[in-house]
Amino acid sequence: MKNQNPLLHTPEGVRDIYGNEFVQKFELQQLLYRILAGRGYQGIETPTFEFFDVFSREVGTVSSRELYKFFDKEGNTLVLRPDMTPSIARAVSKYFHDETPIRLCYMGNTFINYDKYQGRLKETTQMGAELMGDGSVASDVELLSVLIEALQEAGLREFQVSVGQVEFFKALLREAGIGNAAEESLRRLISDKNRFGAEELLASYDISEKLRATFLEMATLTGGEEALQKARSLTDNAEALEALERLQEIYEGLKKKGYEKYVTFDLSMLSKYNYYTGIIFHAYSYGYGEPIAKGGRYDNLLSHFGRELPAVGFAIVVDQLQRALRNDAEKKVNATDDGKRYLTFALTKGRLAKKTLELLEKVGITCEEMKDPDSRKLIFVNEELGLKFFLAKGPDVPTYVEYGAADIGVVGKDTLVEEGRKMYEVLDLGFGKCRMCVCGPESAREKLAHQEQIRVATKYPDIAKDYFYNQKHQTVELIKLNGSIELAPIVGLSDVIVDIVETGSTLRENGLGVLEEVMPLSARMVVNQVSMKMESERITKLIQDLRAAL
């Protein structure tokens, strides 16, 4: 009998590629391979799945929960590769014993099981190059040059390669004596350019004011050669200065090749891949919030497989490069009459939008169109300043920013934490202050104190889960609701709720109260990652002006 409901769609995060798109992708892959092979990089192919230990925590790659794991008949844990570099390192340790330096290139698919599917592919195609057995500055310059040339020859016009230095951060950590747990938090906050979050974390550590200021400045140490000069003025740590000197030498090498216009420095760039030991770099172009290429130096990775070889490499995400090539004309389409690209703001509807516009007026940014209460426009424009504005619901603002539909957004901290989008959180704007709290009748306080299993109703399940499971270590049953949260404990649906509290008047009027505070909240400014690189000068000036006005 014919199946009336055949399964035709693909699983979440993967897709079919056919027709013109297949031809374009295939031709792009062949072009990239010819470029790498033409520069002396020999092809290598490794298995799609490996033993779990190749990508273990000790190696420093993707976290275990994001791996696709399965077992063979002997009970060995196997994983679909999330990253090509450890596989290449394993193969080199096995097969390449005499010749150095070793130049290899590869093409293959990688698989990462992201917690949330938010339009991000879980299977992507990577094309990359690795240079092993050479720890010199010249090898760093070579890999960066090959990457720039590959992007140029692929037809990409607008892109930036942002270069960081892991050793600068690690040298400061050693000086501060900060432990592993705090290191991970500080690394994340600085990477997100969350200066105020880093300031709160460092407040609990007894370190010098100069060192504290250097950590905080890392969040904004971006730009050209002047960023390196500023970094030098912040520290007298010999190891940190040595790391900066290597960046300077790399810059001089790229300058000789005429590639300096494609390169910026970002000392806040600290990869989640812990195997990086020196420079790290990402390539960005318009169209999305994800890098089109990633790379860096990993001098200790091969030691996990029995070899001691310095190495540097990069991987181009072919799917992202395809997207960037399609969107390369965006700058012309979304540009002012004088060719300058519009900066687009996504503002949360209601009080946050009003407060944001008042703050922007203090730094000379206005949009008269938005003051018309009868206007039915969706997009508002300030042609003189090259700015666009639109209003959106709070939960949608991070989505617009992450995907590059908006360069800058203003949204509550509660929404940022709950949505978990990838973007830079650059400013605490100080208004819209309130608290995320555990609330309920007084009788529930004892259940919380004794960590009994309770039922929790909330509009913020991710925030509630993190608070109870990771901070209180208490097992709870979570119920997602969309409105009138206070009703849940009154009618017996839940023991407590997790919700935003501003004055607490609604709680008191219904016999409820605040039992525990989860986190303070306020309005935050967020920036798309690509926009921060491609429009660095304009956005950095805006952040500085707003910080001075607060």
Side-chain angles (χ1 to χ4, degrees):
M1 182 177 175
K2 186 177 180 181
N3 187 347
Q4 298 299 313
N5 296 293
L7 184 62
L8 298 177
H9 64 80
T10 62
E12 186 177 79
V14 297
R15 67 194 189 97
D16 302 311
I17 300 173
Y18 61 95
N20 288 337
E21 185 182 6
F22 172 85
V23 173
Q24 291 165 5
K25 182 175 181 179
F26 181 78
E27 290 178 349
L28 179 58
Q29 290 171 174
Q30 296 304 305
L31 172 64
L32 292 173
Y33 176 74
R34 289 195 298 272
I35 293 167
L36 298 180
R39 284 156 178 78
Y41 288 80
Q42 175 187 347
I44 185 172
E45 183 176 319
T46 59
T48 303
F49 59 88
E50 299 258 12
F51 288 113
F52 173 79
D53 288 350
V54 173
F55 303 101
S56 67
R57 184 175 182 179
E58 289 71 28
V59 173
T61 181
V62 173
S63 67
S64 176
R65 69 181 184 183
E66 293 184 331
L67 297 174
Y68 283 98
K69 297 184 282 284
F70 55 101
F71 302 96
D72 63 14
K73 291 181 180 179
E74 287 74 39
N76 297 305
T77 304
L78 308 176
V79 299
L80 293 177
R81 61 186 176 211
D83 174 17
M84 299 290 292
T85 302
S87 294
I88 304 297
R90 175 198 55 75
V92 166
S93 299
K94 181 177 181 180
Y95 300 113
F96 296 78
H97 300 295
D98 302 318
E99 63 272 38
T100 56
I102 304 162
R103 289 178 173 83
L104 298 173
C105 66
Y106 59 83
M107 179 175 63
N109 286 13
T110 59
F111 308 83
I112 300 179
N113 189 19
Y114 293 110
D115 287 341
K116 289 183 176 181
Y117 179 50
Q118 300 174 337
R120 298 171 67 189
L121 290 173
K122 296 182 178 183
E123 178 185 16
T124 57
T125 303
Q126 291 189 358
M127 187 91 199
E130 313 289 343
L131 173 50
M132 299 177 175
D134 188 344
S136 68
V137 169
S139 64
D140 293 341
V141 172
E142 177 180 328
L143 258 291
L144 284 164
S145 299
V146 171
L147 173 60
I148 291 169
E149 290 160 6
L151 296 179
Q152 285 179 324
E153 292 185 36
L156 199 60
R157 296 172 302 158
E158 298 283 346
F159 67 91
Q160 281 287 303
V161 180
S162 191
V163 184
Q165 173 57 282
V166 174
E167 278 305 311
F168 180 78
F169 177 65
K170 289 184 176 179
L172 298 179
L173 282 177
R174 288 190 288 270
E175 182 181 346
I178 292 176
N180 290 339
E183 173 188 341
E184 201 58 41
S185 297
L186 186 59
R187 178 192 293 266
R188 187 185 71 253
L189 290 166
I190 291 175
S191 293
D192 291 344
K193 300 189 180 295
N194 190 340
R195 182 187 173 109
F196 44 88
E199 193 168 6
E200 289 176 1
L201 177 65
L202 292 170
S204 59
Y205 286 88
D206 183 21
I207 59 176
S208 70
E209 284 305 313
K210 183 174 183 178
L211 184 54
R212 189 188 313 276
T214 305
F215 276 123
L216 297 180
E217 286 296 324
M218 279 187 70
T220 56
L221 274 174
T222 62
E225 201 172 4
E226 71 282 356
L228 300 183
Q229 295 169 356
K230 183 176 180 181
R232 288 192 199 95
S233 71
L234 294 172
T235 182
D236 51 13
N237 183 306
E239 291 177 319
L241 290 172
E242 185 179 341
L244 294 174
E245 182 56 32
R246 184 168 183 118
L247 284 182
Q248 183 68 51
E249 291 176 16
I250 291 169
Y251 182 72
E252 295 301 329
L254 291 170
K255 202 172 177 180
K256 288 178 181 176
K257 293 174 175 282
Y259 293 151
E260 69 273 16
K261 71 175 183 177
Y262 295 107
V263 177
T264 56
F265 296 102
D266 184 356
L267 291 177
S268 73
M269 188 191 300
L270 302 168
S271 175
K272 68 178 181 180
Y273 288 0
N274 292 326
Y275 57 67
Y276 285 124
T277 56
I279 68 160
I280 54 174
F281 49 91
H282 291 172
Y284 293 91
S285 186
Y286 291 110
Y288 191 46
E290 291 281 318
I292 55 178
K294 299 179 181 180
R297 177 160 288 281
Y298 51 96
D299 288 345
N300 300 328
L301 178 59
L302 274 82
S303 65
H304 291 281
F305 306 102
R307 291 289 299 276
E308 297 289 342
L309 279 179
V312 62
F314 68 78
I316 296 172
V317 184
V318 177
D319 311 84
Q320 298 286 51
L321 178 55
Q322 256 193 298
R323 188 198 304 263
L325 289 168
R326 285 197 300 266
N327 291 314
D328 203 27
E330 180 188 344
K331 187 175 180 185
K332 287 186 177 180
V333 173
N334 188 29
T336 60
D337 292 339
D338 61 0
K340 185 168 66 174
R341 182 177 176 273
Y342 285 105
L343 283 184
T344 302
F345 289 74
L347 307 182
T348 300
K349 290 180 177 179
R351 286 184 295 173
L352 285 190
K354 183 179 179 182
K355 289 281 188 182
T356 303
L357 291 172
E358 290 173 359
L359 177 60
L360 289 173
E361 284 193 0
K362 290 182 181 180
V363 297
I365 294 175
T366 60
C367 188
E368 295 301 321
E369 289 183 338
M370 297 190 77
K371 295 179 180 180
D372 180 4
D374 299 320
S375 175
R376 301 185 66 83
K377 282 188 173 183
L378 296 177
I379 304 290
F380 305 91
V381 183
N382 181 323
E383 293 287 359
E384 183 181 350
L385 297 176
L387 302 174
K388 290 183 178 181
F389 301 82
F390 65 85
L391 301 175
K393 290 185 177 180
D396 294 335
V397 169
T399 306
Y400 284 116
V401 174
E402 182 186 31
Y403 283 90
D407 302 287
I408 299 166
V410 174
V411 68
K413 177 67 174 177
D414 54 300
T415 302
L416 288 180
V417 177
E418 186 65 23
E419 289 293 311
R421 297 286 182 173
K422 294 183 69 175
M423 61 195 72
Y424 294 133
E425 185 181 339
V426 297
L427 278 179
D428 182 346
L429 299 177
F431 50 79
K433 288 189 174 182
C434 49
R435 298 174 294 160
M436 183 70 70
C437 297
V438 179
C439 310
E442 188 60 32
S443 59
R445 190 180 295 276
E446 190 172 345
K447 292 182 179 180
L448 290 169
H450 292 94
Q451 295 198 330
E452 296 180 29
Q453 182 166 349
I454 59 175
R455 187 178 286 176
V456 180
T458 182
K459 286 189 280 190
Y460 304 94
D462 283 355
I463 292 175
K465 182 179 179 181
D466 178 70
Y467 177 69
F468 281 105
Y469 281 70
N470 298 329
Q471 298 181 47
K472 284 178 64 71
H473 307 291
Q474 182 174 358
T475 302
V476 297
E477 181 183 348
L478 289 173
I479 300 173
K480 173 84 161 60
L481 292 179
N482 296 307
S484 301
I485 301 297
E486 296 87 355
L487 191 61
I490 296 172
V491 300
L493 177 63
S494 69
D495 297 292
V496 296
I497 62 174
V498 172
D499 202 18
I500 294 173
V501 176
E502 192 167 357
T503 64
S505 59
T506 303
L507 294 172
R508 290 190 294 271
E509 289 172 8
N510 290 280
L512 307 175
V514 173
L515 303 177
E516 294 175 355
E517 182 173 324
V518 178
M519 67 174 70
L521 303 171
S522 59
R524 308 298 168 99
M525 175 178 280
V526 293
V527 179
N528 173 269
Q529 291 183 342
V530 169
S531 301
M532 192 74 213
K533 310 297 181 184
M534 302 295 289
E535 302 289 343
S536 176
E537 187 176 336
R538 296 170 70 191
I539 293 176
T540 300
K541 183 180 185 306
L542 173 62
I543 293 169
Q544 291 170 344
D545 290 346
L546 290 174
R547 185 177 288 127
L550 290 172

